[in-house]
Amino acid sequence: MAKNMKPYFDAAVKNIVSHGDTDIFPYPIENHVLFDSEKELVKLLRNAYSNFDEYFAVNSPSHITTLSPVGYTGFRWASQLDPFWNAYFLGVVLAIAEEIESSRIPIKNKTIFSYRINPVGKKSKIFDDKIGWPEFVERSKELASEHNYVLCVDIADCYTRIPHHRLENALKQLKIRNSGPAHIKEILSNFSDTRSTGVPIGGPAARILVELVLNMTDKLLASNGVIFCRFADDYHEFCKSHDDAYAKLTFISEKLLRNERLSLQKAKTRIMSSEEFLSAQSILETREDDDDHTDERDFMNISLRYDPYSDDRDERYDQLKAELKKFDILGMLNRELQKTRTHGVLAKRLIKSIQHLKKPVKNNAALTLIENLDILYPLFPIVATTIKSIFFELPDVTQNKICQVLREGISSRNHVFQIEMHLAYAARVLGESKTPENEDALVDIFNNSTSNMVRRDVILIMSKWRVFYWLSDLMNDFNSLGAWERRAFIIASYQLDDAGSHWRDHMKNRFNDFELLVRDWAAEKSQIKEWQVPI
């Protein structure tokens, strides 16, 4: 009997709507469609599951793949999955997630702390939020105090190098009797262009699958008497002596290379005495007696998590603001900007906290951010998202200054904006202010970019602004647009009045199932007075 996939597709869609599909890319408009058309989407997903081979062939995925900066000079590939197939991928993974969890080293062993899975339908969150990085750090300290040496290793480019055949073998060991593993294999093969390595970075489905693959190394270490704990691709192993630590380093290096074709990051591989490990600052590289950095250490220890949909959201928000009042956010940010390179974790938290501050401080903070884009280059997505979130609270002079800096940076091909992802985030900030200068800048961005992601966002912004002349001209090129651009233009067509209506009638037989869902969503939203395209 075929597995009832409805609960798993329901859970997948709810998770994507609540948390996004990755923590790297701009939030796609398709996720709004998922939120408002959940039942219709789940029906499409179930139909695809029952007729997978044909459906996948006719509606093959269109993914966005682009460079994402790592630090100031490094890059990694980042991928945003086709929205429909992203929901499908997560659904089929969730359908086997309990089997994956039961195959892992049990939680009670206090060994594996990353992405422990809640049963679907029992809790709203996919992962157990009581087990994570803080518990990993605490357990590491506990074990370090009981041993003489600690070996710290980190797997290099783990997600992009995971071999598909090892994942396939691990799935076979679960004895799963539904077709989910075969579908997962096909989706990953499409994602990697048949290179047989790599899973998408950032989404929960990939995290679950990577945990399954690493579980084989975990069990190998445990069966050989290694005392260790792991969070994601970080291993801490606890040793009797320096020679013992080196032997364990040789062992894990050999097993990862031979079995998984994975290697360790040389720069992050360290053998430390327990005293050195315990005294090291895990967050800031400062001495305990360094009073100049007390604020930074205390700030890093507060939680910025805030759920705007919780029952006690007002109380929690007041508590968060009260906590932040204790700190000179702008002062700490300025101190970070005096450095040649910012401390990424601290700077990111400081930038995110700006949206919770008072208006005058927000204005000064926004100016500080926009004037220091070179230093904040690796954090530009956070910078742009924060500025966008407070844009309408800023005075006109600051808004104009922000847009001017972005336009000049884009037109001069400043290195910050040579990254497609950065260009998409910058376009979204410009989209907050409809001016002739910003309109011209967006037209240039569209004409000079080959990125589906960037061009999609320009289409949506022009739709929000109701730029009729530009949209009506683009209508002639619809058949040459990429999948993400097509969906954006279908939404934009509702700003073209009768011309858009005639065009949709003419084109409706050329829309695929998901495009029809997007069309119906846009039709309903366009009837709402003063509704604007959400971007």
Side-chain angles (χ1 to χ4, degrees):
M1 183 176 177
K3 189 163 190 172
N4 176 19
M5 291 297 295
K6 185 178 184 303
Y8 305 105
F9 287 136
D10 281 340
V13 174
K14 283 183 171 63
N15 183 266
I16 293 169
V17 166
S18 300
H19 305 290
D21 46 354
T22 77
D23 51 7
I24 300 173
F25 288 85
Y27 192 84
I29 195 168
E30 288 85 354
N31 287 7
H32 294 282
V33 181
L34 269 58
F35 179 83
D36 293 318
S37 309
E38 181 179 333
K39 290 182 180 179
E40 293 81 357
L41 179 66
V42 169
K43 185 177 179 180
L44 289 181
L45 293 169
R46 294 174 70 189
N47 180 46
Y49 186 84
S50 64
N51 191 28
F52 177 79
D53 290 337
E54 181 180 346
Y55 203 95
F56 194 79
V58 174
N59 301 280
S60 58
S62 174
H63 309 306
I64 291 175
T65 303
T66 187
L67 286 176
S68 175
V70 178
Y72 286 88
T73 56
F75 298 94
R76 67 179 179 186
W77 280 113
S79 299
Q80 186 167 44
L81 297 186
D82 179 290
F84 178 85
W85 291 107
N86 179 50
Y88 188 93
F89 180 48
L90 180 54
V92 293
V93 171
L94 290 178
I96 61 173
E98 289 184 47
E99 287 90 342
I100 291 175
E101 180 61 35
S102 64
S103 74
R104 299 170 68 187
I105 294 177
I107 293 173
K108 65 181 181 181
N109 290 27
K110 296 183 179 180
T111 301
I112 310 302
F113 294 87
S114 47
Y115 310 120
R116 306 308 308 229
I117 300 162
N118 287 319
V120 171
K122 300 290 180 64
K123 294 188 177 181
S124 59
K125 295 181 179 179
I126 290 176
F127 301 120
D128 187 341
D129 57 10
K130 295 185 178 64
I131 305 168
W133 178 263
E135 291 71 31
F136 168 69
V137 172
E138 287 305 309
R139 180 59 173 162
S140 295
K141 290 178 181 178
E142 181 183 326
L143 290 171
S145 66
E146 299 170 0
H147 293 78
N148 296 325
Y149 282 85
V150 181
L151 168 66
C152 299
V153 300
D154 180 284
I155 300 173
D157 302 321
C158 182
Y159 278 61
T160 58
R161 295 184 180 182
I162 286 287
H164 290 179
H165 76 276
R166 290 294 287 176
L167 174 58
E168 187 178 354
N169 290 340
L171 288 169
K172 286 179 179 177
Q173 295 301 311
L174 299 178
K175 307 295 184 185
I176 294 167
R177 297 186 178 180
N178 64 54
S179 54
H183 297 185
I184 291 169
K185 178 184 176 183
E186 188 68 27
I187 291 169
L188 289 179
S189 178
N190 173 278
F191 162 76
S192 66
D193 290 331
T194 69
R195 285 191 297 270
S196 299
T197 58
V199 297
I201 295 173
R207 288 170 179 151
I208 293 170
L209 296 177
V210 168
E211 289 295 324
L212 175 63
V213 174
L214 294 182
N215 181 52
M216 293 186 279
T217 300
D218 296 340
K219 289 191 170 181
L220 197 58
L221 292 172
S223 68
N224 280 272
V226 178
I227 306 300
F228 74 100
C229 53
R230 177 176 66 79
F231 183 89
D233 52 9
D234 289 311
Y235 280 92
H236 290 168
E237 299 186 23
F238 305 91
C239 316
K240 294 177 292 186
S241 65
H242 190 279
D243 288 340
D244 181 38
Y246 196 84
K248 287 180 168 59
L249 172 60
T250 302
F251 182 83
I252 190 172
S253 297
E254 178 189 348
K255 298 308 177 186
L256 284 171
L257 277 168
R258 177 178 290 176
N259 297 334
E260 317 299 350
R261 301 294 186 266
L262 297 172
S263 58
L264 301 177
Q265 288 202 47
K266 295 178 183 178
K268 292 187 177 181
T269 298
R270 294 188 65 187
I271 295 175
M272 293 180 281
S273 69
S274 295
E275 291 79 7
E276 183 184 1
F277 178 84
L278 290 168
S279 64
Q281 293 295 310
S282 59
I283 300 173
L284 293 173
E285 296 178 357
T286 57
R287 303 193 313 272
E288 285 291 334
D289 60 348
D290 189 349
D291 293 335
D292 289 341
H293 298 277
T294 301
D295 281 352
E296 281 85 344
R297 286 198 300 271
D298 291 343
F299 175 74
M300 291 296 291
N301 288 327
I302 69 170
S303 174
L304 296 180
R305 293 179 182 174
Y306 168 68
D307 182 0
Y309 301 106
S310 63
D311 293 336
D312 58 348
R313 56 187 176 276
D314 293 336
E315 180 183 349
R316 287 185 175 274
Y317 188 58
D318 289 340
Q319 290 174 352
L320 175 59
K321 289 197 295 184
E323 280 291 310
L324 291 173
K325 279 183 181 178
K326 301 175 185 177
F327 300 97
D328 179 10
I329 304 294
L330 192 55
M332 287 190 286
L333 182 60
N334 280 321
R335 284 199 293 273
E336 276 300 299
L337 295 174
Q338 298 306 309
K339 302 176 183 177
T340 306
R341 296 187 175 195
T342 62
H343 186 290
V345 177
L346 173 60
K348 185 183 295 186
R349 285 174 65 87
L350 288 168
I351 294 166
K352 284 184 175 181
S353 71
I354 289 170
Q355 60 188 300
H356 304 298
L357 304 179
K358 292 182 178 179
K359 280 189 177 182
V361 183
K362 286 180 180 177
N363 181 58
N364 291 333
L367 289 170
T368 297
L369 294 178
I370 203 67
E371 290 167 358
N372 289 276
L373 292 184
D374 284 350
I375 298 175
L376 293 170
Y377 159 74
L379 301 176
F380 183 76
I382 303 295
V383 171
T385 301
T386 298
I387 289 176
K388 185 176 183 297
S389 72
I390 63 174
F391 193 84
F392 290 112
E393 300 179 62
L394 304 175
D396 291 347
V397 63
T398 302
Q399 293 182 7
N400 294 336
K401 171 73 171 180
I402 290 168
C403 292
Q404 180 185 357
V405 171
L406 294 178
R407 290 195 306 267
E408 290 176 353
I410 294 167
S411 64
S412 66
R413 287 193 54 77
N414 179 282
H415 70 280
V416 175
F417 304 102
Q418 291 180 24
I419 307 299
E420 290 177 354
M421 191 180 299
H422 287 189
L423 197 56
Y425 276 106
R428 290 192 173 204
V429 176
L430 293 176
E432 294 299 293
S433 177
K434 186 181 187 304
T435 65
E437 294 82 3
N438 286 350
E439 189 175 309
D440 289 344
L442 289 174
V443 170
D444 286 342
I445 289 171
F446 186 89
N447 291 338
N448 294 317
S449 176
T450 58
S451 167
N452 241 310
M453 170 179 53
V454 175
R455 287 163 61 93
R456 169 205 65 194
D457 283 1
V458 173
I459 293 170
L460 292 172
I461 293 167
M462 293 301 209
S463 173
K464 185 177 77 168
W465 289 352
R466 299 180 65 87
V467 184
F468 183 90
Y469 77 90
W470 190 86
L471 292 172
S472 61
D473 180 63
L474 186 62
M475 185 188 300
N476 301 315
D477 299 323
F478 179 79
N479 289 327
S480 66
L481 299 180
W484 298 75
E485 298 167 76
R486 281 170 61 99
R487 291 190 292 268
F489 188 81
I490 290 170
I491 295 168
S493 71
Y494 284 89
Q495 306 301 322
L496 296 176
D497 303 320
D498 288 344
S501 178
H502 292 315
W503 175 80
R504 289 189 301 275
D505 286 342
H506 176 70
M507 297 293 296
K508 60 185 178 183
N509 292 329
R510 304 184 194 182
F511 297 158
N512 63 36
D513 288 346
F514 190 52
E515 289 174 341
L516 290 171
L517 185 63
V518 171
R519 180 202 64 182
D520 294 343
W521 173 83
E524 183 177 346
K525 289 297 182 182
S526 66
Q527 299 302 311
I528 301 173
K529 188 177 181 180
E530 297 181 356
W531 178 77
Q532 285 191 333
V533 174
I535 179 170

